[in-house]
């Protein structure tokens, strides 16, 4: 299994959740960005493995959707030929700012390789930045294994 497959699945799950449609679970009305923006915390951090969230307190409907996404993860991974156990971490932080809806997806595999990717809008588009040579590249965080 390649790490890139895990990051792709992570983005797909987080983007599906961000869309508010929830086709993966059959829930068609979710307003994660509205709920995050209306809270004092200003964000909702969803753990798609545990089926929990931190930050803003989600509505009962959104909390149920979070739980259902966690239960659906194994089936989605199976369709891609991997096991959900390949993820050590799969989280997305949803917020709304002056640029619009934003979500940051964190994926970590069992060997410790980690990716943190930032997306704007719905559907999510990668946030881009200039590299040291002036080229436009996707904004990336450190993906090296954590120091032990």
């Amino acid at each position: 299994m390649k790490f890139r497959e895990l990051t792709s699945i992570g983005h797909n799950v987080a983007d599906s959740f961000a869309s508010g449609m929830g086709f993966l679970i059959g829930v068609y009305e979710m307003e994660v960005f509205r709920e995050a923006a209306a809270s004092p915390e200003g964000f909702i951090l969803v753990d798609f493995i545990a089926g929990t969230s931190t930050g803003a307190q989600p509505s009962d409907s959104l909390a149920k959707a979070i739980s259902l996404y966690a239960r659906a993860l194994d089936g989605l991974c199976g369709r891609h030929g991997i096991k959900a156990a390949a993820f050590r971490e799969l989280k997305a932080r949803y917020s709304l700012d002056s640029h619009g809806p934003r979500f940051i997806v964190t994926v970590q595999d069992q060997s410790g390789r980690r990716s943190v990717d930032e997306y704007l809008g719905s559907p999510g588009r990668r946030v881009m930045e200039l590299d040291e040579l002036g080229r436009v590249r996707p904004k990336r965080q450190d993906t090296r294994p954590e120091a032990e």
Side-chain angles (χ1 to χ4, degrees):
M1 178 241 1
K2 294 184 179 180
F3 184 71
R4 193 75 194 117
E5 293 175 59
L6 289 181
T7 60
S8 177
I9 289 170
H11 169 262
N12 290 344
V13 168
D15 197 37
S16 170
F17 194 82
S19 76
M21 301 294 185
F23 292 125
L24 180 62
I25 59 170
V27 173
Y28 299 100
E29 186 126 0
M30 298 180 297
E31 295 286 338
V32 65
F33 294 111
R34 183 182 55 77
E35 290 189 31
S39 73
E41 296 85 356
F43 71 93
I44 295 176
L45 178 64
V46 176
D47 182 333
F48 288 107
I49 295 171
T52 60
S53 69
T54 56
Q57 179 66 38
S59 66
D60 290 343
S61 172
L62 189 60
K64 181 163 179 63
I66 292 168
S67 173
L68 291 171
Y69 263 79
R71 283 191 243 154
L73 183 61
D74 201 42
L76 175 65
C77 289
R79 290 191 293 276
H80 288 271
I82 64 171
K83 295 190 181 299
F87 287 99
R88 179 185 291 174
E89 180 180 14
L90 175 53
K91 295 181 179 176
R93 184 184 193 277
Y94 297 92
S95 61
L96 188 63
D97 63 21
S98 61
H99 298 288
R102 175 183 304 268
F103 58 103
I104 301 170
V105 181
T106 303
V107 171
Q108 186 174 24
D109 68 9
Q110 291 300 330
S111 65
R113 186 161 181 201
R114 191 169 196 250
S115 171
V116 180
D117 299 313
E118 190 171 349
Y119 300 89
L120 286 174
S122 184
R125 294 173 316 281
R126 288 287 300 273
V127 173
M128 305 300 271
E129 65 184 2
L130 293 177
D131 70 6
E132 62 279 352
L133 298 175
R135 299 173 296 195
V136 177
R137 299 283 190 223
K139 184 176 180 183
R140 302 272 317 166
Q141 301 290 333
D142 190 1
T143 59
R144 290 175 290 169
E146 295 176 0
E148 307 208 7

